[in-house]
Amino acid sequence: MTKSQRVAVAGGTGGIGQHVVEGLLSFHKRSPDALPTVIILSRSARPDVEFEGVRAPVYAVDYTDPSSIEKVLNEHKIDTIISTLSGEPSKFIPAQENLLSAALRVPTVHRFAPSEFAPDSERAVSASLFRMKHPILKSLREAKAQRPGTFEFTKFICGIFMNYLGFGNTKPDGLKAHGHMPAFPYIVDLSKQSADVPGDGSTKMWWTTAEDVGRFVAAATQLETWPEESTMTGDVLTFNETIQLAEKITGKKFEIKNNTREDIQARMDPNPTSWFGNFHLETYICYINNEHVQTSVLNELTDVRPVKLEEFLQKWWGEE
């Protein structure tokens, strides 16, 4: 299988998608011959995304119409599609299927990465929204079987975004801790010196900055072959180790609440009104069930040197 040269990122104008685009643009700047083309697919017309003086043009497509996607992919002779789409299941699932349908009609496309960018959706099955990522994986395995040696896919699995631990820091440039990700605390809230822990705290967490995810993805485009699971991590610590490190760097004792399975289930809304539902608490159940276990394949296959948790916390919470 040949390396990626012409990449389209679906949903690359914000969130983790923008970090992926920035990782690709940074690589393009260093090695323009290896990765000459990076474009973005978006539901609406938007300005180009610029990073380090390099631009990725944005093309509006209709994710309900594969032909509109196919047209853009053909025009740019795209060989690799990376999906970072998100949204409610009724729109997310068909959007990814239509993206793949369009891709399979473009002769130059030989690689596809569905929207994972979290713990492995096929392991973290207690979280209902992760299950909406399963249909595209079934379709991708069928496509790969039908096109042996000419089509491959990978799941980019990164654990939890380390950026969430930057929430509430008071550094002058503190908002940069979040990158392009939403600003909210997850499990450990350093701004309140508190932690809302699933179980007894002995479960491991895989932490990766969104910026490093972009770098890992860019490096993965230059692999000769894609493994079906492209796992990556910046650091692996238990909840207790994460809290201890936060206490060490802030110099403050944290208030810790350890939650049993019953505690978590009691907090769930029996009649959620949002499509997001009880997802946050369901991820807690995933930890109690030990469904977040992963490896670090891309750490071994690429030369990316990710940010460690202590380095991240020191930057945003340590003394000047």
Side-chain angles (χ1 to χ4, degrees), residues 36-72:
T37 300
V38 179
I39 69 169
I40 299 170
L41 307 180
S42 174
R43 288 186 173 89
S44 58
R46 297 184 180 219
D48 295 352
V49 171
E50 182 177 356
F51 186 68
E52 295 182 353
V54 187
R55 292 177 180 272
V58 178
Y59 295 91
V61 296
D62 181 355
Y63 286 109
T64 68
D65 178 12
S67 64
S68 81
I69 306 169
E70 181 185 355
K71 180 175 182 291
V72 175

Side-chain angles (χ1 to χ4, degrees), residues 196 264 267-269 278-286:
D196 188 42
I264 297 165
R267 291 164 59 183
M268 290 185 179
D269 185 347
N278 291 301
F279 177 67
H280 179 90
L281 291 172
E282 289 172 349
T283 65
Y284 280 34
I285 299 294
C286 291

Side-chain angles (χ1 to χ4, degrees), residues 259-279:
N259 296 271
T260 65
R261 183 188 306 273
E262 292 72 25
D263 292 334
I264 297 165
Q265 291 171 337
R267 291 164 59 183
M268 290 185 179
D269 185 347
N271 299 297
T273 56
S274 165
W275 62 268
F276 205 73
N278 291 301
F279 177 67

